[in-house]
Amino acid sequence: MDSHMAEKYSKFLLISADTVAPADRMNTTKADEAVQLKISDSGPASVKPITVMTMVANIVQKYPQRVALGVKNSKSDKEWTTYTFSQYYENIIKTAKGFIKLGLEPYHGVGIIGFNSPEWFFSDLGAIFAGGLAVGIYTTNSPEACHYVADNCAANIIVVENNVQLQKILQVKDKLPHLKAIVQYKGELEEKLPFVYSWSELMDLSETVPDSDLEERIVNQNTNNCCTLIYTSGTTGNPKGVMLSHDNLTWTAAVTTERAKLRMGSEVTVSYLPLSHIAAQQLDIHGPFICGTTVYFAQPDALKGSLGETLKEVRPTYFLGVPRVWEKIHEKLMAISKNVTGVKRKIGAWAKGIGLRGNKSALSGGSYPFGWTIANALLFKKVRQGLGFDRCHAFISGAAPITKETLDYFLSINIPIMEVYGMSECTGPHTLNTPNECCVGSCGRVIPGLKTVLADQDSEGNGEICMVGRHVFMGYLNMDEKTSETVDNEGQLHSGDIGRLDEHGFLHITGRIKELIITAGGENIPPVLIEDAVKEKLPVISNCMLIGDKRKFLSILLTLKTEVDEATAYPKDELTRPALDWCKAIGSDLKTVDEARKKEDEKFVSAIQQGIDLVNKAATSRAQTIQKWVILPRDFSIPGDELGPTLKLKRSVVAKIYAETIDALYT
């Protein structure tokens, strides 16, 4: 697209999206009406409702030549292939036209399954520009799970990364009546089928679509129309399609960027988390169009070890890690420190003490202690450089609870991790900590313009976290009953999480309604707090799950930290180096899970029991003490189906897999 054409589209988008047309302006079907609900009136009045197209056009006008995306198509590439914001925009337009040519109809899905890449972004935004629904599909989905999502959103087009993902869709294609085309964006097509296209073919098709066809799609879109579906991970049943409007996405991106103090035209980040999750979409796709962030793509094996190299090369200015990512970095640094001896070891311990005290003081509004500058020069600065975090001003954790041990460790090396709380149904974040307003162990304060309501509070102020604001989703696609269960008549989104607000307005998560264990004696027990305490007392434990619903006492399933098969991502039998070091410290020679399960090593068994005893000592009642424990044969994982795509524990799945093991604990 030439500069004249880009300018034409920018002007057109800026004009068309300024007027919010009524939801019934189009002759819609009943299915269409479900995705055209009215936006909320709450939120900062200064944030004007705009469409995703206007958000994109605004930043393209402001930073046309700034690098927007950087990618290495293979590990062997030495140089980054980059796209300016202008080139990014041109590719979105071409993709949108290509989708129209392939038969994309308004409010029909464009499924996208594959690892993060420029083509993933182009497909997501191209679908929105063309009036369709951008629908991320988790790469770990089985063919049946892919079918469920594609059928639920009436997908006209599915974009796949490679032949592996293509084969999943081909297995279920005949059961998808709305599917018209499949596009593969990496690698050569192994077999040419009439309805399967390469990415280059899609680009060629776009040239045959007149500008007026795309303009018509754009002019018929409003800020209160659905444009994206986020499918829940299905930990408690079939995934639900979370309908997000243009205003949900653009408003949330704008206010979060402002709250996090991200800087215009100077931010850099790394894209590696699953883009079918709202957190990754807000950080990698929508947020960057608010402040002009440059996004570099990690390699597909990022979570198997290559992420560290990408971070050192890119040197991001902000970084989001799910708790397991931070735990992996923690383990790596601990393993390195084991080899440090003598004076260097003493200096490191001193500096970490300064770091922990100093950061806790600073985050509470106090000052750094004497020796901070020296500790920074000797340790903090070097660690940040070694990790690729020397330019990073925002370290974020979200999607699941993170342990106090991990938070304190990173504070000790001057990497203060800011926790964020939210969910797909509120377009990502609801509360967050910032360097200027932080309470370690909390999920931060509510974003301006939003409201937190704690329903059915107990005597200690714990209640169900409910949310109100322009970030609240439009409902679940084709699931009116589920929507009514989640959003009440007052417009409050019920999270299912239990929390309390402290005297300074910081939100603390204390449990989850659906995960509450109710013992045979009628005691209500939040398992997450006890599970976190076990992992804190026993660093050899990777994951654990408390058992006790309708039982006479509590027991717990434990997994050990083990190596992971790089090819399959399945956990191995061999313990990790940090786990081996822990065993050595207690006088045990254990090297595998199999050896641990035999319970022949008395020192190991005794150490595990001592850790459980310490947790029990802090229990608020006898009913909340752990009576029995068992080591499982393998760690929880995504391919094992015990963990969801964002590493959330699938309790029902684990309970089913280990039903016999659990029953044996109570026999």
Side-chain angles (χ1 to χ4, degrees):
M1 182 183 295
D2 59 29
S3 58
H4 173 72
M5 202 64 215
E7 182 181 0
K8 171 190 172 184
Y9 269 106
S10 294
K11 288 180 178 178
F12 173 74
L13 293 174
L14 286 165
I15 294 170
S16 69
D18 282 340
T19 301
V20 181
D24 60 356
R25 65 171 291 170
M26 299 194 304
N27 181 21
T28 62
T29 65
K30 187 173 182 180
D32 290 335
E33 290 171 358
V35 290
Q36 295 190 69
L37 307 179
K38 292 183 178 180
I39 61 173
S40 167
D41 293 328
S42 62
S46 59
V47 181
K48 185 178 182 180
I50 60 172
T51 62
V52 169
M53 290 81 75
T54 295
M55 178 181 70
V56 171
N58 285 343
I59 211 68
V60 172
Q61 279 199 338
K62 190 174 183 65
Y63 299 114
Q65 299 308 312
R66 175 170 166 77
V67 173
L69 306 174
V71 64
K72 289 186 176 181
N73 293 313
S74 70
K75 275 189 171 182
S76 60
D77 288 357
K78 292 184 178 180
E79 301 295 327
W80 292 90
T81 298
T82 61
Y83 299 79
T84 64
F85 274 103
S86 181
Q87 292 168 330
Y88 188 177
Y89 185 49
E90 291 171 11
N91 276 276
I92 295 168
I93 295 294
K94 286 182 179 179
T95 305
K97 286 184 172 184
F99 287 162
I100 292 173
K101 183 67 175 181
L102 291 178
L104 175 62
E105 301 172 58
Y107 304 117
H108 281 255
V110 173
I112 313 167
I113 181 168
F115 186 73
N116 309 20
S117 69
E119 292 85 1
W120 211 111
F121 286 22
F122 302 154
S123 297
D124 181 279
L125 294 165
I128 294 173
F129 272 51
L133 305 174
V135 184
I137 303 175
Y138 289 109
T139 58
T140 53
N141 272 11
S142 64
E144 293 73 22
C146 292
H147 169 264
Y148 176 85
V149 172
D151 186 54
N152 187 250
C153 70
N156 289 153
I157 299 167
I158 298 179
V159 180
V160 300
E161 176 181 8
N162 50 30
N163 187 62
V164 172
Q165 303 296 354
L166 173 62
Q167 293 306 314
K168 292 181 184 179
I169 307 304
L170 291 179
Q171 286 184 47
V172 298
K173 180 187 177 295
D174 291 342
K175 296 188 291 183
L176 295 171
H178 297 281
L179 186 60
K180 300 177 181 180
I182 306 171
V183 180
Q184 181 176 316
Y185 65 82
K186 273 191 178 179
E188 297 295 326
L189 295 176
E190 294 190 8
E191 180 184 5
K192 187 66 184 85
L193 299 171
F195 51 85
V196 180
Y197 301 83
S198 67
W199 189 261
S200 60
E201 288 175 324
L202 177 70
M203 294 295 99
D204 290 341
L205 287 172
S206 72
E207 300 297 332
T208 66
V209 178
D211 297 333
S212 58
D213 286 5
L214 179 56
E215 290 174 1
E216 183 179 354
R217 295 290 181 96
I218 291 173
V219 79
N220 280 318
Q221 294 188 61
N222 310 305
T223 55
N224 56 348
N225 293 158
C226 179
C227 63
T228 290
L229 293 175
I230 303 291
Y231 278 84
T232 61
S233 55
T235 55
T236 58
N238 282 331
K240 298 185 288 291
V242 175
M243 298 191 294
L244 299 177
S245 69
H246 288 267
D247 188 64
N248 284 148
L249 295 170
T250 59
W251 184 89
T252 304
V255 296
T256 304
T257 296
E258 171 62 27
R259 174 71 168 160
K261 304 299 181 187
L262 298 186
R263 304 160 299 189
M264 292 295 295
S266 62
E267 300 290 356
V268 176
T269 194
V270 173
S271 176
Y272 73 100
L273 291 172
L275 286 166
S276 36
H277 193 266
I278 187 58
Q281 288 193 22
Q282 281 288 359
L283 279 168
D284 299 350
I285 299 178
H286 303 294
F289 280 112
I290 297 297
C291 61
T293 298
T294 299
V295 179
Y296 288 93
F297 293 94
Q299 291 296 311
D301 62 351
L303 294 177
K304 298 176 185 177
S306 70
L307 178 60
E309 291 304 312
T310 302
L311 291 174
K312 283 187 279 189
E313 187 172 1
V314 171
R315 299 167 58 226
T317 58
Y318 65 83
F319 177 76
L320 169 68
V322 295
R324 192 59 184 142
V325 169
W326 290 115
E327 289 169 7
K328 287 288 188 183
I329 297 173
H330 180 188
E331 291 169 6
K332 178 182 177 182
L333 293 176
M334 289 293 287
I336 293 172
S337 67
K338 290 284 185 182
N339 299 321
V340 178
T341 59
V343 176
K344 285 186 177 181
R345 187 177 185 85
K346 291 181 180 179
I347 291 174
W350 169 81
K352 288 177 183 177
I354 291 287
L356 184 59
R357 293 197 310 275
N359 272 304
K360 284 190 173 181
S361 172
L363 292 173
S364 301
S367 59
Y368 292 107
F370 176 77
W372 179 269
T373 303
I374 298 173
N376 184 50
L378 294 176
L379 181 67
F380 309 152
K381 189 175 180 180
K382 292 179 180 179
V383 171
R384 284 198 178 205
Q385 287 177 336
L387 294 173
F389 287 153
D390 54 303
R391 296 195 301 177
C392 202
H393 65 87
F395 306 94
I396 311 162
S397 179
I402 187 170
T403 65
K404 183 177 181 297
E405 177 193 14
T406 301
L407 291 173
D408 282 350
Y409 177 81
F410 281 102
L411 283 178
S412 75
I413 57 174
N414 196 29
I415 296 179
I417 298 174
M418 306 289 133
E419 284 194 82
V420 177
Y421 171 75
M423 55 197 298
S424 300
E425 288 85 345
C426 70
T427 325
H430 178 71
T431 66
L432 70 157
N433 283 291
T434 69
N436 297 325
E437 293 183 12
C438 179
C439 175
V440 177
S442 81
C443 293
R445 286 175 171 154
V446 68
I447 293 171
L450 305 178
K451 183 180 179 182
T452 303
V453 177
L454 298 181
D456 303 320
Q457 293 184 52
D458 62 17
S459 58
E460 297 179 353
N462 295 292
E464 183 184 9
I465 301 167
C466 299
M467 313 170 202
V468 181
R470 272 169 67 179
H471 66 335
V472 172
F473 76 136
M474 302 169 70
Y476 297 117
L477 182 63
N478 302 322
M479 292 184 177
D480 292 344
E481 186 175 340
K482 291 289 185 183
T483 300
S484 298
E485 292 174 3
T486 305
V487 182
D488 62 29
N489 293 332
E490 296 179 0
Q492 295 181 156
L493 169 63
H494 289 251
S495 69
D497 293 318
I498 304 297
R500 64 177 177 83
L501 292 168
D502 65 22
E503 63 271 26
H504 302 294
F506 289 95
L507 180 65
H508 299 257
I509 310 299
T510 56
R512 180 161 176 81
I513 290 175
K514 291 181 180 178
E515 292 178 353
L516 276 179
I517 289 174
I518 304 177
T519 66
E523 183 94 5
N524 287 5
I525 298 170
V528 175
L529 297 179
I530 297 174
E531 291 161 354
D532 285 348
V534 169
K535 289 191 284 186
E536 182 180 343
K537 298 298 182 186
L538 294 168
V540 72
I541 300 301
S542 176
N543 287 288
C544 55
M545 187 173 109
L546 198 68
I547 304 296
D549 200 48
K550 300 177 184 177
R551 307 277 189 172
K552 291 182 179 180
F553 59 85
L554 298 183
S555 57
I556 195 164
L557 309 180
L558 305 172
T559 72
L560 304 182
K561 292 178 178 177
T562 59
E563 299 292 346
V564 176
D565 187 303
E566 291 190 4
T568 65
Y570 271 100
K572 294 182 178 181
D573 189 46
E574 295 79 17
L575 300 183
T576 61
R577 172 50 55 187
L580 292 171
D581 290 342
W582 183 85
C583 290
K584 185 177 179 181
I586 63 169
S588 170
D589 295 325
L590 282 178
K591 291 182 174 58
T592 67
V593 176
D594 185 56
E595 292 173 359
R597 282 173 50 78
K598 292 177 181 178
K599 290 193 173 183
E600 295 175 355
D601 189 315
E602 293 183 4
K603 292 181 179 178
F604 176 82
V605 173
S606 177
I608 295 293
Q609 187 59 54
Q610 287 176 25
I612 298 295
D613 290 343
L614 287 173
V615 174
N616 287 341
K617 189 176 180 180
T620 58
S621 70
R622 170 71 178 173
Q624 296 201 26
T625 60
I626 301 167
Q627 303 299 310
K628 292 185 179 182
W629 56 268
V630 63
I631 303 291
L632 297 180
R634 68 168 189 263
D635 193 9
F636 299 155
S637 66
I638 294 175
D641 202 34
E642 301 96 344
L643 301 178
T646 56
L647 305 183
K648 287 183 180 178
L649 179 60
K650 293 184 175 181
R651 294 180 185 273
S652 60
V653 172
V654 173
K656 185 176 181 180
I657 293 173
Y658 295 104
E660 291 185 8
T661 300
I662 293 169
D663 287 342
L665 290 169
Y666 294 92
T667 301

